Amino acid sequence: MTTRMTTATGHIHALPAYRAEALQVESGANMGDVLGVLDELMLDDSYVLQPGAETARLALEAHPDGRFTIAAASALGRPGAALHLDCALSLMAPAGTMAEALVLVETDSDGMIAEVYLLPLTPLQPKEPYTLVRASREDARKTLAQAASTSFIRGTRITLATGAQVKVEELKAGDRVLTRDEGAQEIHWVGRSTLRAEGTLAPVLISAGALNNAHDLLVGPNHRLFVYQRADEIGAGASELLVTARDLVNGTTVTVQQGGFADYVQILFDGHHIIYAEGIAAESLLVDPVTEPALPGRLRRTTAHRRGSHGVEVSQSLLDRPDAVDALKRASLR
């Protein structure tokens, strides 16, 4: 799960992470040690998630120059401290299933390691041994980008400039799509990926009618939807809101769709826009130093990190109420 906000200096992605001490080597060369950085890891070591260990939000601020720091809203770490993406891990459970994860490192003012964090991309079960079978920096940036990117699920209908609705997987560069604030805009690139629908990568289903959407809407967990409040039902202090799909999950009208694989589609314009999916407003792909590695090389060099001003990012705390979705629906109708 990641959630994003925008500040004057960069974009913020909130990641669910464990502190290093939550994972301990049960058997192997580093027996008794907690999770470390790449240079300290040994393949075939078996890690166990400690009982009672829970993830907390690690808020990463991505700066235009490519640096990552810990944001002020983070539940983990020291705000302002440098944060580095160390490596990607593949861990094998006893049944042979694979769990993917990323290791992030917080450093102090002297550049020394202050904390190590694990971002699990697939769920980890406590007390179950996970054997480390791969550790590499090679694909770490791309893996983080895939987890953080805004994505629609195959089959989602997008409104074109003509008013016609087209399945997202049928869109192509050059097609003109209706945007909320800037009329018809031409698609710059359409990206596609198939990922395991588990944990951080599992899509979110917004059932028909939940937010006045005409049909069921499936999006990536980090996709933000645009809501215009006619009355401030949730106390956000603004009428134009961006709400992250995962933060809306209530187990009834908005649910996580775990299991199998999901076909994700990303839509990139020359800038960041609000478009219409299944009749409701949702964002296009926002390019920043976190999501940029998911783009082809030629686009990484030419695509500007243009931030749109599309509303206030709603914090999870304001949505941590059982009637949050109903409140947003009411707010948009009054």
Side-chain angles (χ1 to χ4, degrees):
M1 163 180 71
T2 72
T3 342
R4 280 159 304 124
M5 303 174 69
T6 301
T7 69
T9 56
H11 307 143
I12 295 175
H13 298 255
L15 317 171
Y18 292 108
R19 293 184 184 274
E21 52 265 30
L23 284 103
Q24 188 171 351
V25 180
E26 180 187 59
S27 62
N30 291 328
M31 184 173 176
D33 290 350
V34 300
L35 179 72
V37 296
L38 180 63
D39 293 342
E40 299 170 352
L41 301 177
M42 296 292 293
L43 297 184
D44 296 326
D45 276 359
S46 182
Y47 287 83
V48 172
L49 181 66
Q50 300 303 296
E54 294 184 353
T55 59
R57 288 200 169 195
L58 178 63
L60 176 159
E61 184 164 2
H63 298 269
D65 61 3
R67 292 180 302 113
F68 298 157
T69 57
I70 295 177
S74 185
L76 293 173
R78 179 177 60 84
L83 190 65
H84 305 276
L85 179 58
D86 184 64
C87 62
L89 306 181
S90 295
L91 300 149
M92 186 170 64
T97 56
M98 300 300 296
E100 307 296 333
L102 295 168
V103 176
L104 298 103
V105 177
E106 175 188 346
T107 57
D108 61 23
S109 56
D110 296 321
M112 304 298 290
I113 295 175
E115 291 277 0
V116 176
Y117 306 103
L118 184 81
L119 166 63
L121 301 179
T122 46
L124 299 178
Q125 301 302 318
K127 299 183 180 180
E128 187 167 337
Y130 290 90
T131 302
L132 180 63
V133 296
R134 177 180 172 273
S136 171
R137 289 196 176 100
E138 184 178 351
D139 297 324
R141 280 270 185 167
K142 185 174 181 180
T143 301
L144 177 61
Q146 289 177 328
S149 290
T150 293
S151 302
F152 295 99
I153 304 300
R154 180 182 179 87
T156 301
R157 286 172 291 189
I158 305 297
T159 303
L160 299 184
T162 61
Q165 292 191 329
V166 175
K167 291 181 180 180
V168 66
E169 67 271 20
E170 297 175 2
L171 294 174
K172 60 186 182 302
D175 286 346
R176 292 170 65 79
V177 171
L178 179 65
T179 71
R180 181 180 183 271
D181 299 310
E182 298 187 47
Q185 291 293 316
E186 191 173 289
I187 294 176
H188 197 42
W189 172 78
V190 178
R192 297 172 178 82
S193 58
T194 299
L195 303 172
R196 289 176 62 188
E198 295 183 8
T200 302
L201 302 177
V204 172
L205 171 65
I206 297 134
S207 299
L211 286 174
N212 302 311
N213 42 310
H215 304 279
D216 287 353
L217 175 63
L218 265 171
V219 294
N222 309 307
H223 208 132
R224 293 181 302 180
L225 308 176
F226 176 90
V227 175
Y228 182 84
Q229 291 193 111
R230 299 179 186 278
D232 193 1
E233 288 274 353
I234 64 170
S239 58
E240 296 188 348
L241 309 179
L242 288 171
V243 292
T244 303
R246 185 180 290 278
D247 290 341
L248 293 172
V249 172
N250 58 15
T252 53
T253 58
V254 182
T255 55
V256 178
Q257 302 294 290
Q258 296 271 8
F261 291 85
D263 292 328
Y264 284 112
V265 182
Q266 300 86 35
I267 303 175
L268 178 69
F269 297 91
D270 194 34
H272 184 227
H273 293 290
I274 300 298
I275 62 176
Y276 295 91
E278 300 297 356
I280 63 172
E283 69 174 336
S284 66
L285 178 63
L286 172 62
V287 179
D288 70 6
V290 171
T291 60
E292 189 176 48
L295 302 179
R298 60 184 175 82
L299 291 179
R300 295 180 207 173
R301 294 188 293 271
T302 61
T303 304
H305 295 180
R306 284 183 52 199
R307 295 194 297 264
S309 178
H310 301 304
V312 172
E313 176 90 17
V314 179
S315 67
Q316 185 191 31
S317 60
L318 291 179
L319 298 171
D320 191 18
R321 45 187 278 189
D323 68 335
V325 175
D326 290 339
L328 288 170
K329 181 177 180 178
R330 290 194 305 270
S332 65
L333 292 173
R334 286 191 175 187

